[in-house]
Amino acid sequence: MGRAPDAARQDERWAMWVRTLRKGPPRPFEQHLEAFRTIFAGRAAAAGPPRVWRPSRAAARRSNLGRFMAEHRFRDYRACHARSASHRAEFWGRAIDRIGIVFGRPPDAILNPSADPENPRWLPGARLSIVDSCFRAPGESPAVIAGREGDDRLIVTSRSDLENLVNRVAAGLRARGFARGDGVALYMPMTLECVAAYLGVIRAGCRAVSVADSFSPDELATRCRLGGAETVLTIERYERAGRSIDLYGKVLRAGVARAVVIPAGDPAGRGESRLRDADLWWRDLLADSPAFRCEPCDPEDVTNVLFSSGTTGEPKAIPWTHLTPIKCAADGYFHHDIRPGDVVAWPTNIGWMMGPWLIYASLINGAAMALYEGAPTGPGFARFVAGAGVTMLGVIPSLVRAWRDGDAVAERAWEKVRVFSSTGEPSNREDYLWLMSRAGYRAPVIEYLGGTEIGGGHITGTVVQPASPAAFTSPALGIDFVILDEAGREVPERETGELYLIPPSIGLSTRLLNKDHHEVYYDGCPAGPDGQVLRRHGDQVARLPGGFFRAQGRSDDTMNLGGIKVSSLELERVVDSHPAVYESAAVAVQPEGEGAERLVLFVVPAGNAAVDRERLAAELKTTIAERLNPLFRIHDLVVVENLPRTASNKLMRRELRARYMKGRD
């Protein structure tokens, strides 16, 4: 048996191949993939994944992180992270200065020195409104670059114009009797008006209750109840992929008490719908004057309520405070290298954490957001990215697969992109090699894993370390974790375990509105290797050689379908309502061993009648789309006589997942 090729030589051969590629005409991606497989054939497992991208010394030095490391004399990223994890208050103090957080009253300290890791007190004595930190850049600089499906024109909104609109929203809310702490739900696509509404609600001292516009009326009603919102700010309707989406109609079916409605087509006008007496058009909410004085708040005041599924049927209501955006902006600065003058695009929604993350990571760091109205899966979006001059492009793996399958993006179409980033679900290596090829392999993919209850990421990548498709390179700055096996021991290289966070960190939640926070995140957790308090997060992560990591999905019964987290019980509750179903189990699988999770339903039929599997699958697809989300698609439906359970009657979903994957071997 021959000896494995030298890994360093393989990495250098790939770098030489890329340099040659850039000098000639574009080649079909099949040739890229063939070169990749040939060059890295026989790579020893102990060498770690292929280094497909390496930063030049000059680029690393120019980066935000490179300059920070040089200033504080860190020899490499590992040393930088180690210091940030062992001296949390010191790091977060430096980060706050670096990204320029604006205070009405500065804090007496960064972290209460006697703070309990589970319940820390960050920035004691401070007063601030995080919205103020979004408008430090010159007023004439772009804040939002907007495009629309079917129209290649771009609309640029300056920072001063955006802030004026934000102030008109805030003043309008106050004039109509909204007080500090009142909830206002946002149920609309990610547009200029959505950004202004979100920041205006917070500047008014209210809380934005974020609801994805893909959710059904029932789910909207649930989230308004949990978030304490009796008013919803929405859009009359909009077009996506040739379909008209009637959002105001869904609001009416949800029974929300009051709505502020943005007219279709012309936000400054009045729409075609007949509004209820309690409802009003967007233009009637906006104050005439853009003057508004924002009173600074306590850092712990709630600004935003977002939702994340757990292992119960009701979603977790997670409050964000004025502290949480500091984590968003710091991750954007250090890990995504967002700089003044950059343009950041990430197809997302205000209902998911990446919507607010995009707002803060862009604006606080002096960059513009690129927002696209419409389906981001086709060539229109690809042209938008190029035309807007996007420098940081965020993705989810299912979107990358759609671009690749649809041949939507020509090679080197995105050569202005300096950094890609990916979150939402595990990635596929070939798809991400294809993604890097769209920018001539000049941009790394920063894998980014975290959650709503973190305000950002816990494991990620950097622009100062080599990158490999579908692999993480590092813990995020200012936080740390351990990966443990079922016996509570740290896993060695080439093994998989459950990732536990080591608190505290700015961004980590300290409460839930509808559940016991300690029970969800801390109860029953093992102690860390050095006796640390550990916090449950639920990610399965493989530790790879060379300092890399790979995501392996969720360790609990929450799954990630198309970038949206949903609990098994939420799905099972809907499936079990079908008259042909006695009981069901919903599990997520990765058919290729990596990449996006797929939904598999195990169904026990009601009664003794034979089941038409294809018909049942079609009917359940419709039911799930209507009652939960049309983005939750069934990959496979398996009819079984019974479901495996423990002695205490707990459903054994892991066994079903393993059984399904074994049957495919």
Side-chain angles (χ1 to χ4, degrees), residues 200-222:
V201 167
I202 295 169
R203 180 159 268 184
C206 302
R207 61 171 68 177
V209 179
S210 296
V211 184
D213 59 7
S214 59
F215 272 123
S216 68
D218 286 348
E219 293 299 319
L220 169 62
T222 296

Side-chain angles (χ1 to χ4, degrees), residues 294-310:
C294 175
E295 298 176 14
C297 306
D298 187 283
E300 297 283 359
D301 285 352
V302 176
T303 60
N304 191 186
V305 180
L306 293 122
F307 301 91
S308 179
S309 296

Side-chain angles (χ1 to χ4, degrees), residues 171 551 624:
I624 290 170

Side-chain angles (χ1 to χ4, degrees), residues 84-430:
S84 78
S86 61
H87 294 72
R88 309 264 176 124
E90 175 189 85
F91 168 76
W92 283 108
R94 289 173 172 173
I96 286 167
D97 289 343
R98 202 83 181 186
I99 60 180
I101 298 301
V102 176
F103 291 97
R105 181 188 185 280
D108 299 325
I110 299 301
L111 176 64
N112 184 337
S114 60
D116 170 7
E118 187 176 341
N119 295 288
R121 178 64 175 166
W122 292 97
L123 309 184
R127 306 290 289 180
L128 78 160
S129 171
I130 196 61
V131 177
D132 294 343
S133 299
C134 295
F135 294 105
R136 292 184 306 107
E140 67 275 10
S141 62
V144 175
I145 302 173
R148 179 174 294 178
E149 190 176 281
D151 186 347
D152 286 344
R153 291 175 297 176
L154 301 176
I155 300 174
V156 180
T157 302
S158 70
R159 262 179 169 66
S160 59
D161 286 345
L162 175 60
E163 187 169 22
N164 286 342
L165 189 54
V166 167
N167 286 343
R168 293 178 68 196
V169 172
L173 289 170
R174 285 292 185 88
R176 292 188 174 272
F178 285 83
R180 279 182 177 271
D182 286 351
V184 179
L186 301 183
Y187 185 58
M188 66 177 76
M190 199 77 177
T191 62
L192 169 67
E193 290 75 24
C194 180
V195 173
Y198 178 82
L199 294 175
V201 167
I202 295 169
R203 180 159 268 184
C206 302
R207 61 171 68 177
V209 179
S210 296
V211 184
D213 59 7
S214 59
F215 272 123
S216 68
D218 286 348
E219 293 299 319
L220 169 62
T222 296
R223 284 155 175 78
C224 286
R225 172 177 57 82
L226 295 176
E230 296 184 354
T231 298
V232 60
L233 213 159
T234 190
I235 188 168
E236 186 179 16
R237 64 179 180 275
Y238 66 93
E239 301 290 326
R240 175 162 293 178
R243 293 177 56 236
S244 179
I245 312 297
D246 178 16
L247 277 195
Y248 181 56
K250 292 167 74 173
V251 169
L252 296 180
R253 294 197 296 277
V256 184
R258 178 167 53 178
V260 177
V261 185
I262 300 170
D266 180 13
R270 297 182 185 276
E272 300 173 1
S273 300
R274 178 169 182 161
L275 301 186
R276 299 174 300 181
D277 290 343
D279 299 341
L280 66 152
W281 293 110
W282 168 252
R283 61 177 292 180
D284 296 327
L285 169 71
L286 301 178
D288 292 333
S289 170
F292 182 79
R293 183 177 179 274
C294 175
E295 298 176 14
C297 306
D298 187 283
E300 297 283 359
D301 285 352
V302 176
T303 60
N304 191 186
V305 180
L306 293 122
F307 301 91
S308 179
S309 296
T311 54
T312 64
E314 191 173 74
K316 292 179 292 186
I318 302 169
W320 278 23
T321 69
H322 291 274
L323 292 168
T324 321
I326 298 174
K327 169 64 172 170
C328 303
D331 281 5
Y333 180 90
F334 290 112
H335 293 286
H336 298 83
D337 199 38
I338 298 174
R339 311 175 194 172
D342 276 350
V343 179
V344 182
W346 205 315
T348 185
N349 188 272
I350 201 65
W352 311 120
M353 66 154 282
M354 293 311 297
W357 186 98
L358 174 64
I359 293 172
Y360 294 122
S362 301
L363 295 182
I364 292 177
N365 287 310
M369 283 171 280
L371 303 179
Y372 184 75
E373 281 190 68
T377 51
F381 178 77
R383 292 193 300 272
F384 169 72
V385 170
V390 170
T391 55
M392 205 293 283
L393 176 59
V395 302
I396 60 171
S398 56
L399 184 55
V400 176
R401 173 58 63 89
W403 290 337
R404 183 183 172 190
D405 289 349
D407 197 24
V409 186
E411 184 183 343
R412 306 185 195 178
W414 292 339
E415 288 199 333
K416 288 185 180 178
V417 174
R418 196 175 70 249
V419 179
F420 292 107
S421 187
S422 176
T423 195
E425 56 193 48
S427 306
N428 177 280
R429 185 166 66 178
E430 287 188 10

